[in-house]
Amino acid sequence: MKQNSLQKYAILLLCMSAGMADVIGYLGLGHVLTANMTGNIVLLGIAVARAQEFVVFRSLLALLGFIAGNAIAAHMIGHVKTKNGWSPRVTAVLTVESILLLLFAILMISPLAGQFSTLLIVLLAIAMGMQTTAARRIGIAGISTTVLTNNLAAVVEDAVSIFHRIRHVNARSLVRSLSADSYLRAGAVVIYLGGVILAALLFHHIPMVAVWIPVLVVAGVTLQAHIAAWGKREYLESDADKH
């Protein structure tokens, strides 16, 4: 399978992991969202209006952790750009994210999880912030792994475009004419939702299993990126051009 195709599947898997992380945070850490900051800011605003200090504290922790993750990832990646967007520095960011998710899972299943709730929120939010910046730098089909709103809007725009063209061409020609990006954006929405449903079911019945799936998904993507050296040749070429 071509490298570009594998990277597209990888970005979809990262979408699934983000959806699962939000469910785990919401159900297991006091109704806080650690990946979807739009929703988290809404919850923060409601908590402020209702003077729910503890909820405000947790939501703020998630927001600050997410921002810290963004900043760490942006610093690690720098201004390096490769032809397809996936550079060794992006892989390095995902490696750190995998470690953070591993620490999160270990603490989450420990008997002392309740005492580490604050740390758990911060760890998960930093991991999701790092993933968001990494996905933005990869730039495949404009997909954000943690912001479903943008992905959904893109899918609707693609659907409107299809509706406009369907009057002039037959269905078979239309399917062939659709870009791979259109299918990817639709796939991102579906797999994000699938990850949410899967995490909710597992967390209700076997929570010990639910917390490990995002770890395995992100670690698997990272391992494949390391093995295939995604973006390494382009990175070396761009670095040589500077000198």
Side-chain angles (χ1 to χ4, degrees):
M1 188 177 291
K2 292 182 179 180
Q3 177 174 297
N4 286 346
S5 297
L6 286 172
Q7 290 176 4
K8 290 172 182 177
Y9 288 122
I11 206 75
L12 293 179
L13 288 173
L14 292 177
C15 287
M16 184 181 79
S17 71
M20 296 190 75
D22 253 347
V23 171
I24 292 167
Y26 190 80
L27 297 180
L29 298 174
H31 292 184
V32 63
L33 298 173
T34 54
N36 185 346
M37 282 301 109
T38 303
N40 186 57
I41 291 172
V42 170
L43 294 176
L44 174 60
I46 293 172
V48 169
R50 293 179 175 178
Q52 297 171 319
E53 293 87 354
F54 192 60
V55 178
V56 170
F57 175 67
R58 289 189 172 213
S59 296
L60 276 175
L61 274 180
L63 179 60
L64 293 174
F66 189 88
I67 292 171
N70 291 151
I72 293 168
H75 176 72
M76 289 178 66
I77 298 172
H79 298 291
V80 173
K81 292 183 178 180
T82 58
K83 188 175 182 181
N84 65 2
W86 198 307
S87 71
R89 293 190 182 188
V90 167
T91 303
V93 168
L94 295 179
T95 301
V96 175
E97 182 196 355
S98 299
I99 295 170
L100 292 174
L101 290 175
L102 176 61
L103 291 174
F104 171 84
I106 291 171
L107 288 174
M108 192 71 177
I109 65 173
S110 74
L112 302 175
Q115 299 177 30
F116 290 111
S117 60
T118 298
L119 177 59
L120 287 167
I121 292 171
V122 172
L123 283 174
L124 195 55
I126 291 174
M128 291 299 102
M130 294 185 74
Q131 185 188 121
T132 300
T133 297
R136 282 171 53 83
R137 293 299 182 92
I138 294 167
I140 293 178
I143 292 173
S144 171
T145 58
T146 60
V147 184
L148 188 61
T149 308
N150 287 344
N151 298 338
L152 183 60
V155 170
V156 173
E157 290 167 12
D158 290 337
V160 171
S161 176
I162 291 170
F163 179 77
H164 285 162
R165 286 185 289 168
I166 201 169
R167 293 173 295 180
H168 307 289
V169 296
N170 60 53
R172 183 175 296 180
S173 298
L174 183 62
V175 170
R176 290 176 181 174
S177 68
L178 288 176
S179 68
D181 287 357
S182 297
Y183 290 109
L184 275 173
R185 286 190 283 265
V189 173
V190 171
I191 200 166
Y192 187 99
L193 177 61
V196 168
I197 295 170
L198 177 62
L201 289 171
L202 287 176
F203 201 84
H204 179 68
H205 297 289
I206 37 177
M208 298 298 183
V209 173
V211 298
W212 285 103
I213 295 181
V215 183
L216 296 174
V217 169
V218 177
V221 168
T222 305
L223 181 61
Q224 176 59 36
H226 276 294
I227 292 172
W230 286 348
K232 186 174 182 179
R233 185 175 63 183
E234 293 91 339
Y235 171 71
L236 292 175
E237 289 174 353
S238 65
D239 191 50
D241 290 341
K242 294 178 182 178
H243 299 289

